Amino acid sequence: MLERICQDFGDVRAVSNVSLVIREGEIVALLGPNGAGKTSTLDIVLGLAAPSAGVVSILGTTPRQAIQRGFVAAVLQTGGLLKDLTVRETLRYVASLYDTALSVDELLERVGLVSLSDRVVAKCSGGEQQRLRFAMSLVSDPKLLILDEPTQGMDVEARRDFWRTIRNDGAAKRTVIFATHYLEEADAYADRVILMRQGEIVADGTALEIQNLVAGRRLRATWPRADLNAVRAIGGVTSVEQRGDTILITSTASDEVARFLLTHTPAQDLEVTGRGIEDAFLAITGTTNDSTTAP
């Protein structure tokens, strides 16, 4: 799909030698801190920007041709809605722009908006408006769907509802690429996770494969006023933190740490877990927790 793509803005290189092939039917999450090049890459895929260098092929054709033929559609964070139209009127208008389109009733059913079909868009919640954008993207029954931060600003319930709608559409075997700051979304819904940093792809694989790039395990135990220095002295310990009565430890020698806690300290309620996708994200991209949830 993408072969050695570069995108320059003056002296700034937003995308650097990105090569990427995505298989039909894959759900791919694109992760990275602000400025990693995610949106610039998606703009190139959508034909909104021409790369400074490299070759782009979408379903055997150029991005603009693919979009003109209804092969590609997108759900963006904002925009694209006329607030004085109803949900049904909006879909009817978008469908009129295509030679071949799914029926409005089918679209309303697919995205769970039947009961809201006569509601004015301005009176729909943020989550409902995003579901409407999703319905609009399905009008041409596209083979490739691009989602750029589709749940940004939604509350937890609305985000779950949106992804439930996406999952229910899974029978269509549609290829989906989504950029997100919510790491749990990538972990829960993506077949494949691609991490970007400073315009380059730095990791590519399943969520589990990405997690396995980071060695060690996490240990959590109840131990008020823990002896942090004693824990740090254990071989393999990479980080120790006290949070209230809880001690949090990261270590590449979890058995040794667990043995120490259970036999030499008053620690209780010990838990040992593998490191998650957030740990991998932070380690690989070199960012802080704040970078994963910023708009």
Side-chain angles (χ1 to χ4, degrees):
M1 181 191 293
L2 304 180
E3 184 177 349
R4 299 187 65 81
I5 292 299
C6 296
Q7 181 63 283
D8 298 327
F9 297 99
D11 295 332
V12 177
R13 172 149 288 189
V15 181
S16 180
N17 292 317
V18 166
S19 295
L20 183 62
V21 175
I22 296 177
R23 294 175 289 275
E24 183 178 355
E26 275 192 312
I27 299 179
V28 179
L30 193 60
L31 298 180
N34 291 331
K38 305 186 301 298
T39 297
S40 295
T41 300
L42 294 182
D43 283 348
I44 291 171
V45 173
L46 289 171
L48 300 176
S52 303
V55 178
V56 186
S57 176
I58 308 297
L59 299 168
T61 187
T62 68
R64 287 188 179 276
Q65 290 173 334
I67 290 173
Q68 289 171 351
R69 296 174 185 178
F71 293 167
V72 182
V75 178
L76 305 180
Q77 297 181 50
T78 59
L81 298 177
L82 298 174
K83 299 301 181 67
D84 56 342
L85 296 182
T86 67
V87 170
R88 179 181 293 276
E89 288 170 341
T90 299
L91 292 177
R92 186 181 296 127
Y93 172 74
V94 174
S96 71
L97 302 176
Y98 292 88
D99 293 332
T100 303
L102 298 179
S103 73
V104 171
D105 287 337
E106 180 180 353
L107 291 167
L108 291 169
E109 181 69 31
R110 279 197 186 188
V111 303
L113 287 175
V114 173
S115 62
L116 303 177
S117 61
D118 295 324
R119 180 176 296 181
V120 174
V121 171
K123 295 185 178 180
C124 293
S125 68
E128 291 165 350
Q129 290 186 17
Q130 198 68 333
R131 274 193 286 159
L132 175 55
R133 291 188 182 94
F134 177 52
M136 292 164 60
S137 73
L138 297 182
V139 166
S140 65
D141 199 17
K143 297 179 180 180
L144 172 62
L145 183 61
I146 306 294
L147 312 175
D148 188 11
E149 304 287 354
T151 59
Q152 184 68 40
M154 291 187 189
D155 60 30
V156 174
E157 184 176 355
R159 284 166 55 197
R160 288 177 179 172
D161 191 40
F162 178 83
W163 282 110
R164 189 180 302 114
T165 302
I166 296 288
R167 259 202 323 270
N168 291 341
D169 182 62
K173 301 300 181 183
R174 211 180 311 281
T175 304
V176 178
I177 304 174
F178 69 96
T180 181
H181 279 93
Y182 297 113
L183 302 182
E184 67 273 18
E185 290 186 346
D187 197 9
Y189 304 111
D191 303 319
R192 178 179 171 192
V193 177
I194 296 173
L195 295 186
M196 293 190 69
R197 179 184 62 195
Q198 297 179 350
E200 299 180 342
I201 293 176
V202 293
D204 183 352
T206 65
L208 181 59
E209 289 170 341
I210 297 295
Q211 292 170 32
N212 288 340
L213 294 175
V214 183
R217 291 180 176 272
R218 277 186 164 181
L219 298 91
R220 174 192 298 264
T222 301
W223 183 8
R225 297 181 297 280
D227 187 345
L228 302 185
N229 289 329
V231 176
R232 291 191 184 99
I234 303 172
V237 171
T238 55
S239 69
V240 182
E241 181 182 355
Q242 182 90 54
R243 294 185 185 175
D245 291 342
T246 300
I247 183 173
L248 303 173
I249 306 167
T250 303
S251 174
T252 58
S254 56
D255 289 344
E256 184 176 348
V257 176
R259 191 177 300 111
F260 172 81
L261 293 176
L262 295 174
T263 59
H264 293 83
T265 77
Q268 298 177 328
D269 304 323
L270 176 64
E271 298 178 9
V272 182
T273 60
R275 300 183 70 181
I277 194 169
E278 180 176 356
D279 297 296
F281 179 94
L282 299 177
I284 295 170
T285 63
T287 58
T288 65
N289 283 313
D290 292 341
S291 298
T292 65
T293 54

